[in-house]
Amino acid sequence: MTTGGRKDINYMAMIYPEGYASKLTQRETQYAIKTVKDTFQKTLAKALNLDRVTAPIMVTKASGINDDLNGVERKVHFTMKNIEGEAEVVQSLAKWKRMALYRYGYEAGEGIYTDMNAIRRDDDTDNLHSLFVDQWDWCRVIGREQRNIAFLKETVEKIVKAIYDTNEAVKKQYPVLGFEMTDKVTFITTQELEDMYPALDGHAREIEAAKKFKTVFLMQIGGKLKSGKKHDGRAPDYDDWALNGDIILWNDVLQCAFEISSMGIRVDAESLHRQLEEEDCLEREIFPFHSMILNGTLPLTIGGGIGQSRLCMLLLEKAHIGEVQCSVWSEEMREECKKHNIILL
């Protein structure tokens, strides 16, 4: 996905569920998408005390605000007629949100959310992944005493409850739908998961965990495990790798692990420097954003991204993300999906 700055290392092969047929017509789907989005964002905002704000689709290259994801993805960039330098289409708003909280004067316990639209040109496309990314990006100011696992877990439980409540509301309005989920979250670290399934890669481990527990928060993504490998990539300058994770649900339609959110407590000065050093990119410390963390100007925060199309896809029981969003797909994929009764928008 999606979702919140993370780009999965392992993409799944295309899945065509046997006997699949959408439970909603295309027109009904459009109405249902609005129901999901309206219900969830209101529920989330109330649960986390968030205000809705507007957000950019582009930032300047010199600002250092754009998300680098795994550091290898090519950003969509262009020069401008009357402005010097280059602009980049955002890949996520992980850094921008923290700057906004500072500029707008938010205090501990208060936060923001926004509709984030991005283009990730190097993403592979399959049932879950699109070149177009849409998510609710959110961020909240916290106190130093809240930079701990307990507060992270408490926040995760609130988000999962918002998803659960949205699902119940959608099923009430569209009785033909029947996605079942549990709001009981199983918390597990990437190291614990490696210890449980040492012979599997990270992607396969997530499948086993989601299949077993249904609703999982996989913690501590970004650093190396005992095996010397990373579970998955995570940029070093937004999440604290000791205090982050992904919300993963089990997808009944595709029979796979389904990441709905990437989130975490954001880096402070100490963790930022440590992670930049570990990734051999200390040169980023000269960027305004990084400097403002290192000198204590920016507030301490927690935040993440929650996939809009992914949430719609999951709750509306769709087999392909292209059934709930408009993007660019190869003609081969469109034709093959059509043969399997999957109609892409």
Side-chain angles (χ1 to χ4, degrees):
M1 170 181 165
T2 109
T3 85
R6 174 188 177 199
K7 178 175 180 287
D8 299 345
I9 291 176
N10 295 294
Y11 287 95
M12 64 184 189
M14 280 294 299
I15 297 173
Y16 300 104
E18 185 176 353
Y20 172 78
S22 174
K23 294 182 177 180
L24 301 174
T25 67
Q26 284 192 310
R27 187 168 180 175
E28 288 171 333
T29 296
Q30 294 300 314
Y31 295 140
I33 288 171
K34 187 175 188 302
T35 299
V36 172
K37 291 186 176 184
D38 288 350
T39 303
F40 179 74
Q41 63 187 6
K42 290 178 182 177
T43 307
L44 179 73
K46 183 177 180 180
L48 299 183
N49 191 29
L50 307 176
D51 296 333
R52 188 191 182 284
V53 300
T54 57
I57 193 171
M58 68 195 84
V59 294
T60 63
K61 181 177 181 179
S63 69
I65 291 177
N66 206 352
D67 190 346
D68 293 294
L69 301 181
N70 285 312
V72 297
E73 295 82 6
R74 296 174 301 159
K75 303 179 182 73
V76 177
H77 62 94
F78 54 91
T79 57
M80 298 160 283
K81 182 178 180 180
N82 297 319
I83 303 174
E84 292 185 0
E86 286 191 350
E88 298 175 339
V89 176
V90 298
Q91 296 196 116
S92 91
L93 296 175
K95 300 170 187 173
W96 178 88
K97 293 174 295 186
R98 192 166 180 178
M99 292 286 286
L101 288 171
Y102 167 70
R103 292 197 307 268
Y104 300 163
Y106 279 80
E107 298 181 353
E110 302 174 334
I112 58 175
Y113 78 95
T114 189
D115 292 294
M116 191 284 290
N117 294 318
I119 298 174
R120 297 183 184 171
R121 61 190 289 187
D122 285 334
D123 271 21
D124 295 319
T125 55
D126 54 29
N127 297 72
L128 306 186
H129 300 91
S130 169
L131 303 183
F132 170 65
V133 177
D134 59 338
Q135 62 188 35
W136 290 285
D137 254 321
W138 66 274
C139 200
R140 181 180 175 184
V141 180
I142 62 174
R144 171 66 63 177
E145 72 282 0
Q146 293 174 309
R147 296 193 82 261
N148 57 63
I149 292 291
F151 181 73
L152 176 64
K153 289 182 176 181
E154 177 186 325
T155 305
V156 169
E157 289 172 338
K158 289 180 179 179
I159 295 172
V160 169
K161 183 63 164 56
I163 295 173
Y164 180 88
D165 289 347
T166 300
N167 184 48
E168 293 303 302
V170 170
K171 288 193 296 183
K172 185 176 181 180
Q173 185 163 338
Y174 300 94
V176 69
L177 298 174
F179 174 64
E180 296 292 338
M181 66 169 287
T182 175
D183 59 355
K184 177 177 171 55
V185 185
T186 297
F187 294 93
I188 186 168
T189 67
T190 52
Q191 186 58 62
E192 289 170 339
L193 199 60
E194 182 182 64
D195 293 342
M196 291 171 61
Y197 305 106
L200 302 180
D201 64 19
H203 181 67
R205 290 176 198 143
E206 290 186 10
I207 293 173
E208 293 302 317
K211 185 186 301 182
K212 181 176 181 179
F213 301 115
K214 305 304 180 185
T215 301
V216 177
F217 186 64
L218 183 60
M219 300 186 293
Q220 299 177 2
I221 300 170
K224 291 182 180 180
L225 304 174
K226 292 177 182 177
S227 63
K229 299 178 180 179
K230 292 185 176 186
H231 175 83
D232 201 353
R234 189 66 60 90
D237 45 11
Y238 60 95
D239 281 352
D240 185 327
W241 293 344
L243 296 168
N244 70 358
D246 291 337
I247 298 175
I248 302 171
L249 305 178
W250 179 249
N251 186 308
D252 288 322
V253 173
L254 298 177
Q255 293 290 292
C256 73
F258 194 86
E259 182 216 327
I260 203 74
S261 176
S262 172
M263 60 172 288
I265 290 174
R266 300 322 204 189
V267 289
D268 60 4
E270 186 276 328
S271 55
L272 173 62
H273 180 78
R274 182 182 68 248
Q275 291 173 187
L276 288 176
E277 186 174 39
E278 186 172 333
E279 293 296 286
D280 194 26
C281 52
L282 283 172
E283 71 278 0
R284 294 188 195 175
E285 292 188 344
I286 67 173
F287 287 130
F289 172 81
H290 301 71
S291 297
M292 292 173 76
I293 293 175
L294 293 170
N295 65 25
T297 299
L298 292 183
L300 299 174
T301 60
I302 184 172
I306 301 166
Q308 295 189 15
S309 290
R310 282 213 178 177
L311 184 62
C312 292
M313 179 185 171
L314 184 69
L315 303 192
L316 304 184
E317 299 178 275
K318 301 290 189 176
H320 195 290
I321 197 167
E323 294 179 272
V324 295
Q325 66 155 240
C326 294
S327 187
V328 177
W329 314 101
S330 69
E331 284 304 313
E332 292 79 4
M333 180 180 287
R334 283 189 175 276
E335 289 302 315
E336 196 61 30
C337 283
K338 189 175 181 180
K339 290 178 185 177
H340 292 86
N341 215 24
I342 300 171
I343 309 302
L344 305 185
L345 298 179

